[in-house]
Amino acid sequence: MGGRLVANASEGGRRRPAWVEWLVAEPVGKDGKKNRLTRLERLGAAAVGLVLVGIALYLVEFPPDRQVALTQCPKAAAGCVVSVDSDLTTFAAVVAGFGAAASLTALLGVRFTEVKAAGAEFRAAPETTGLTPGGTELKADELPDEPAAGGEEPRPAELTLPVKVPITIVVVQGLGERGHDAPIAITRLKAPMSEVGPELLRDYQSARRVSQNMYFLTHALSPATAAGQKYSVAVRVTPHLQQGMPPPLQVRAASFFLGRAWGNRVIPGRPGSDGRFGIVTQAYGPFLALCEVEFTDGSRILLDHYCDFDMGSLVPAT
């Protein structure tokens, strides 16, 4: 029941009709990006395409008349004025071209980010537009000195669950390198995954999503913009969409921590062009990112994500 309410609830708490949700639901492509048009946008593009093609055909079949004076007459007032058909073939062809492009866009449903025509090139704003610059990762020989941390034995504490399940959660202190007080929850299966029922695994999946208010940290690579760095890495707070609808809670703020190589700074995130909060930084190696997310109801959660370079082979060379 809760899932249906989320899928049909608007920001103001009122439920929109199902046909409205069907029209405005934003599809997500196979790559997880919002690069496809909504049904409403596709219908609008189709209508524009048909109108433009219709105008072009009308101009070709019924060109408007224009009046000209014959060269033999000294002036139009002498009565030597005739009406001739206007030659709007070129203009009609341009209008038809725009109409065909709109119709093709409606048919494919793809949100184009780059168009080349007649030697001109038009690009959409980069995906990282609006994100907070996170600085540049320092090399190993550039890191500031830190005092050595003393070693302590880890202090585990197993949680007692009210319902017996083949999952164990252990909260451990003493695993960290600095201070040894940060608690970490470690989840383990009591049996191999192949022996655990799929219903429990699916329940764990959904519980994980709900515990994070349907938000996760994700990253994307692009060519580096700083010398000595390998990639430009955008780290974002990404919602998990259900039936094309966003989570019930919206992100109010997000703060990022990348570690020692970034000066141990807390970097405030900003919403990018797609509305997701994030930062973009320059890095020469993979790193672990932390992010505190604050929601519109005032609650906060701490997310983490390992930013690897495995997809780097797909990044175009500069």
Side-chain angles (χ1 to χ4, degrees), residues 180-204:
H180 308 289
D181 292 327
I184 292 294
I186 302 174
T187 303
R188 299 188 179 100
L189 293 173
K190 296 181 180 179
M193 182 177 284
S194 59
E195 300 177 10
V196 177
E199 286 301 315
L200 179 63
L201 298 178
R202 290 184 59 190
D203 192 45
Y204 183 85

Side-chain angles (χ1 to χ4, degrees), residues 28-62:
V28 179
K30 294 181 179 179
D31 56 359
K33 296 182 179 180
K34 299 178 181 179
N35 55 5
R36 301 193 64 81
L37 300 176
T38 65
R39 295 180 180 91
L40 183 60
E41 289 171 331
R42 295 180 71 173
L43 289 173
V48 170
L50 291 175
V51 170
L52 291 177
V53 170
I55 292 175
L57 293 176
Y58 182 84
L59 291 176
V60 172
E61 292 295 327
F62 307 101

